[in-house]
Amino acid sequence: TITANAGSGVTISPSGSTQITCGANQSFTITTAACPYECFDVSTTTTVDGVASRSDNIYGNASTATYTFSNVTAGHTIAVSATTYVILGPMILNGSGSVTIPSCNYPPGNGACSLNQDWIGPVGSSPTFSFVPSAGYHVADVLWGSSYDLGAVTSYTFSNIQSSYMSMIYVSFCATGHSWNSSKQICN
């Protein structure tokens, strides 16, 4: 008997318990659904008899893979799961300072997250970014895309991200004693 299970965003066929003749082969088809929204990656994990392997489907197009058990003489398990990742950024810095990008665990197991100053994480995440001015500077303005002016904040949480946002996040730092001129996008 081979037992096959699938999580959300992915299917396996046949699923459930399949009786196998001793010495026979049995193939399973694993199908990852396409992203229902704009995403960066769908990462599929296939676990066979407790050992996991991962494959990526960058930009989330539907994909199909096959796993075959050969010369089956004992029971086995196969389980598949999928995680959809979204991307936020990139960060553009003006002046002297830095952005602390939260850990996003992409690729899974890595824990780091700095792909050209972008943040990548699972759908539904709520990352908090910290904007850190250098000595003698202050955060003057944080602008997301061309229409969301977040103001002179030192941190911001993007709540429950459901799709990728490839809008620039502009972080401007002014020297102490200088103010931000939003119409000219410069420090005065």
Side-chain angles (χ1 to χ4, degrees):
T1 300
I2 298 176
T3 304
N5 295 300
S8 64
V10 63
T11 61
I12 189 166
S13 181
S15 64
S17 295
T18 303
Q19 297 295 323
I20 309 297
T21 302
C22 188
N25 299 335
Q26 175 64 50
S27 293
F28 291 86
T29 302
I30 301 162
T31 304
T32 303
C35 282
Y37 39 76
E38 193 174 334
C39 73
F40 175 71
D41 177 26
V42 176
S43 178
T44 304
T45 302
T46 303
T47 304
V48 176
D49 297 331
V51 177
S53 64
R54 185 177 135 267
S55 64
D56 289 312
N57 177 8
I58 300 297
Y59 305 119
N61 298 315
S63 66
T64 302
T66 302
Y67 186 91
T68 301
F69 290 92
S70 300
N71 190 25
V72 176
T73 59
H76 293 282
T77 60
I78 182 169
V80 292
S81 62
T83 302
T84 302
Y85 290 90
V86 291
I87 189 167
L88 178 66
M91 303 288 164
I92 305 297
L93 304 182
N94 176 28
S96 185
S98 63
V99 176
T100 302
I101 299 175
S103 174
C104 64
N105 203 25
Y106 182 87
N110 183 30
C113 186
S114 182
L115 174 68
N116 298 324
Q117 298 287 357
D118 292 332
W119 175 88
I120 303 168
V123 165
S125 296
S126 296
T128 298
F129 291 77
S130 297
F131 311 112
V132 184
S134 297
Y137 284 78
H138 63 94
V139 176
D141 193 44
V142 178
L143 183 66
W144 180 23
S146 60
S147 56
Y148 299 105
D149 192 342
L150 306 177
V153 296
T154 56
S155 68
Y156 186 80
T157 300
F158 294 89
S159 298
N160 193 21
I161 297 176
Q162 293 297 312
S163 63
S164 292
Y165 295 97
M166 292 305 297
S167 298
M168 303 282 190
I169 300 170
Y170 299 93
V171 183
S172 297
F173 303 95
C174 288
T176 302
H178 293 266
S179 61
W180 182 247
N181 183 325
S182 59
S183 63
K184 293 183 179 180
Q185 299 290 300
I186 59 170
C187 295
N188 287 332

